[in-house]
Amino acid sequence: MAKFTIVDQETCIACGACALHAPNLYDYNTEGVAYTLLDDNQGNKAIPDSEEENALEAEWNCPSLSIKIADRPFNGDPHQHS
């Protein structure tokens, strides 16, 4: 089943865990806040199967719980599946 990811940019503390564990999925904007590379942090493009384990590792290691992963698209809202 496809998984989707988004970063809650309001709670991100730019610790670097997401980019460390999943550098093909996450990066930092000019303000130093993480975002998803898949679709500019909209959470609508499925995580490639080859990156799913890395995404889950990034989510697990995020100290601010800002990495969100779900079975449905986020449509730009990190709280949509809370």
Side-chain angles (χ1 to χ4, degrees), residues 11-81:
T11 60
C12 175
I13 60 171
C15 71
C18 58
L20 175 68
H21 294 285
N24 294 327
L25 298 176
Y26 306 101
D27 201 358
Y28 296 90
N29 63 22
T30 57
E31 288 84 35
V33 177
Y35 72 98
T36 59
L37 292 167
L38 294 173
D39 59 4
D40 200 30
N41 209 53
Q42 293 303 298
N44 295 327
K45 188 171 180 186
I47 299 169
D49 291 341
S50 62
E51 291 291 334
E52 190 172 311
E53 187 175 323
N54 294 336
L56 293 170
E57 190 74 17
E59 178 189 40
W60 190 81
N61 282 284
C62 180
S64 61
L65 306 176
S66 298
I67 304 289
K68 309 293 183 186
I69 297 176
D71 295 333
R72 297 173 297 181
F74 285 92
N75 299 315
D77 181 1
H79 305 287
Q80 183 161 334
H81 307 304

